[in-house]
Amino acid sequence: MGQLQTEKDEVAPLLEGAARVTARVRYCWLVTEAGNGGATARPMGRLRPAADEGPWKFRFVINSQSQKASEIKRSARVEMIFQDDAEDAFVVLTG
């Protein structure tokens, strides 16, 4: 077995577990880069994905004039933190 296949085999269970957590959790923390270089974190309720969407598409309703919208436009990077208390699990996604 090649190194690439071994890495895929090791990563696959982590991705599956992360997908289960994010599917169960309705709210997450959305973290953006603030204008002063710090971070701004806020709780967000997300829209549930449509049946034909994969596990890695996340949608939120925000005001396009809000601080969070301007922070996203400025840096184009966010972090989302999902916490599943019942399973004692959390997932951090960055992109």
Side-chain angles (χ1 to χ4, degrees):
M1 186 181 304
Q3 180 179 350
L4 182 58
Q5 186 60 45
T6 301
E7 289 174 2
K8 286 182 180 180
D9 291 344
E10 291 172 353
V11 171
L14 296 173
L15 291 174
E16 291 169 10
R20 280 193 305 274
V21 169
T22 61
R24 284 192 301 260
V25 176
R26 168 86 169 91
Y27 297 94
C28 71
W29 287 92
L30 180 69
V31 183
T32 56
E33 183 180 332
N36 63 4
T40 305
R42 75 245 332 134
M44 297 288 293
R46 65 187 183 101
L47 300 173
R48 290 290 186 185
D52 61 338
E53 292 178 337
W56 304 115
K57 185 171 191 172
F58 302 95
R59 293 179 288 139
F60 303 94
V61 176
I62 65 170
N63 180 333
S64 64
Q65 305 301 313
S66 69
Q67 176 182 340
K68 77 176 124 290
S70 64
E71 290 173 355
I72 291 168
K73 289 174 191 172
R74 183 177 52 253
S75 75
R77 292 187 55 86
V78 300
E79 287 188 344
M80 294 183 296
I81 305 168
F82 297 84
Q83 181 173 332
D84 185 351
D85 290 333
E87 295 296 323
D88 196 24
F90 72 93
V91 173
V92 178
L93 302 175
T94 302

